[in-house]
């Protein structure tokens, strides 16, 4: 075999390694941000709920947190927020290959729990937006509502492929589900990254009805989904150029994610802990 014959293969392997490494780097950065988010939920909502100080929920700037006389609504809010910590931890564990390969029983049961909670939170989130009125902008709320519906769809498809033992297709849909479930997390990161880059709330309305507010309500899941699709397709492609392009996109996404985590921690989460 000549050098000219092996060169494309070597280039493809190098590009594949770079692509995989960029994915790992993004995951490590995202994992840090997700666990910081869990810490925020535990302190800002978990401790106040355990102490019975439900009115303190509103200190974090919620649209509707605690409402006197609304026992069911308060319960749904508390369940939604506290389960967000559980699903965040569970989702991150599902993406760790060592757990998937070495402790498959943990991966399977954690995956089932992740799906069940995701479905409950999607339905509960839709009810809180349109039933309880936890919204400011109707158009922005439509964007987040579509995400809730997509969570239900992705959960059903991922479960179907798991039952049919089509593991690769299940894995891909589970990754899409992970993105959809974390849309609100991406929303916060995108919001803070935008404000830092623009050096102010450009396009942000008083009632979250500005052009940026409306855009981020859809982009908080559509943009990460698009990046994920390119990442998976580049991994399947034999073309080194495509892999390098996807690697660059992943590195850019990692930088934006890190910036958003920094902003969210400094201005959203840590001040309320």
């Amino acid at each position: 075999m000549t050098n000219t014959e092996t060169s494309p293969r070597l280039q493809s392997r190098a590009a594949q390694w770079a692509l995989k490494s960029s994915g790992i780097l993004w995951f490590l950065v995202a994992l840090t941000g997700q666990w910081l988010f869990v810490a925020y939920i535990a302190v800002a909502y978990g401790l106040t709920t355990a102490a019975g100080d439900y009115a303190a929920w509103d200190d974090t700037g919620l649209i509707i947190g605690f409402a006197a006389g609304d026992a069911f609504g308060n319960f749904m809010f508390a369940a939604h927020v506290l389960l967000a910590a559980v699903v965040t931890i569970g989702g991150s564990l599902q993406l760790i290959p060592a757990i998937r390969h070495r402790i498959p029983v943990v991966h399977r049961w954690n995956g089932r729990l992740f799906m069940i909670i995701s479905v409950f939170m999607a339905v509960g989130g839709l009810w809180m937006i349109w039933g309880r009125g936890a919204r400011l902008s109707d158009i922005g709320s439509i964007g987040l509502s579509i995400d809730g519906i997509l969570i239900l769809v992705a959960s059903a498809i991922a479960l179907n492929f798991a039952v049919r033992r089509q593991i690769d297709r299940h894995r891909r849909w589970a990754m899409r589900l992970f993105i959809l479930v974390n849309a609100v997390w991406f929303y916060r990161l995108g919001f803070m990254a935008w404000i830092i880059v623009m050096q102010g709330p450009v396009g942000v309305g008083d009632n979250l009805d500005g052009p940026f507010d409306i855009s981020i309500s859809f982009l908080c899941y559509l943009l990460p989904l698009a990046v994920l699709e390119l990442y998976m397709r580049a991994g399947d492609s034999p073309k080194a150029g495509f892999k390098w392009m996807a690697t660059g996109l992943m590195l850019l996404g990692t930088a934006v994610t890190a910036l958003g985590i920094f902003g969210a921690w400094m201005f959203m989460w840590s001040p309320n802990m």
Side-chain angles (χ1 to χ4, degrees):
M1 187 175 292
T2 66
N3 290 335
T4 56
E5 291 174 325
T6 59
S7 180
R9 291 187 180 182
L10 291 175
Q11 292 176 8
S12 182
R13 288 179 182 176
Q16 183 69 19
W17 177 87
L19 178 64
K20 183 177 180 180
S21 297
S22 69
I24 294 173
L25 178 61
W26 177 85
F27 175 69
L28 293 176
V29 170
L31 186 64
T32 301
Q34 293 224 306
W35 284 75
L36 288 175
F37 184 49
V38 169
Y40 159 70
I41 293 173
V43 174
Y45 299 105
L47 294 182
T48 55
T49 301
D53 187 12
Y54 309 125
W57 294 343
D58 296 327
D59 294 341
T60 59
L62 296 167
I63 299 173
I64 297 180
F66 174 76
D70 184 13
F72 180 74
N74 293 334
F75 168 78
M76 287 296 293
F77 172 80
H80 188 86
V81 173
L82 297 178
L83 284 176
V86 177
V87 82
T88 298
I89 294 173
S92 62
L93 292 178
Q94 285 301 96
L95 297 184
I96 299 177
I99 295 177
R100 185 167 65 249
H101 297 313
R102 298 178 185 176
I103 324 175
V105 65
V106 172
H107 178 77
R108 287 195 296 270
W109 281 103
N110 183 57
R112 291 164 184 163
L113 181 63
F114 177 78
M115 283 190 182
I116 291 171
I117 295 177
S118 297
V119 169
F120 174 81
M121 291 183 64
V123 174
L126 289 169
W127 176 81
M128 285 194 291
I129 291 174
W130 301 106
R132 202 183 192 210
R135 67 184 188 276
L136 291 175
S137 165
D138 285 345
I139 299 178
S141 296
I142 289 173
L144 294 176
S145 298
I146 292 174
D147 174 67
I149 295 171
L150 291 176
I151 287 174
L152 301 179
V153 173
S155 296
I157 296 175
L159 178 60
N160 176 59
F161 285 131
V163 170
R164 294 165 59 183
R165 305 301 297 169
Q166 297 182 22
I167 302 303
D168 184 65
R169 299 178 76 177
H170 161 73
R171 180 182 62 83
R172 291 170 186 256
W173 275 99
M175 292 173 67
R176 295 178 181 115
L177 177 60
F178 174 84
I179 296 293
L180 292 167
V181 170
N182 283 283
V184 175
W185 181 76
F186 282 115
Y187 182 102
R188 287 168 168 79
L189 267 56
F191 193 92
M192 294 312 306
W194 173 263
I195 289 178
I196 292 173
V197 170
M198 301 304 293
Q199 299 185 350
V202 178
V204 177
D206 293 337
N207 294 314
L208 297 180
D209 54 357
F212 174 76
D213 302 310
I214 302 302
S215 299
I216 195 67
S217 297
F218 293 89
L219 292 176
C220 64
Y221 54 93
L222 293 178
L223 187 57
L225 277 177
V227 174
L228 173 63
E229 292 298 324
L230 282 173
Y231 178 81
M232 292 190 297
R233 290 177 183 273
D236 295 336
S237 174
K239 298 180 180 179
F242 188 16
K243 295 179 187 294
W244 284 116
M245 182 198 73
T247 298
L249 183 62
M250 286 298 298
L251 292 176
L252 176 61
T254 300
V256 174
T257 300
L259 182 63
I261 291 170
F262 170 78
W265 175 254
M266 293 299 296
F267 305 109
M268 281 186 172
W269 301 336
S270 63
N272 293 303
M273 293 177 65

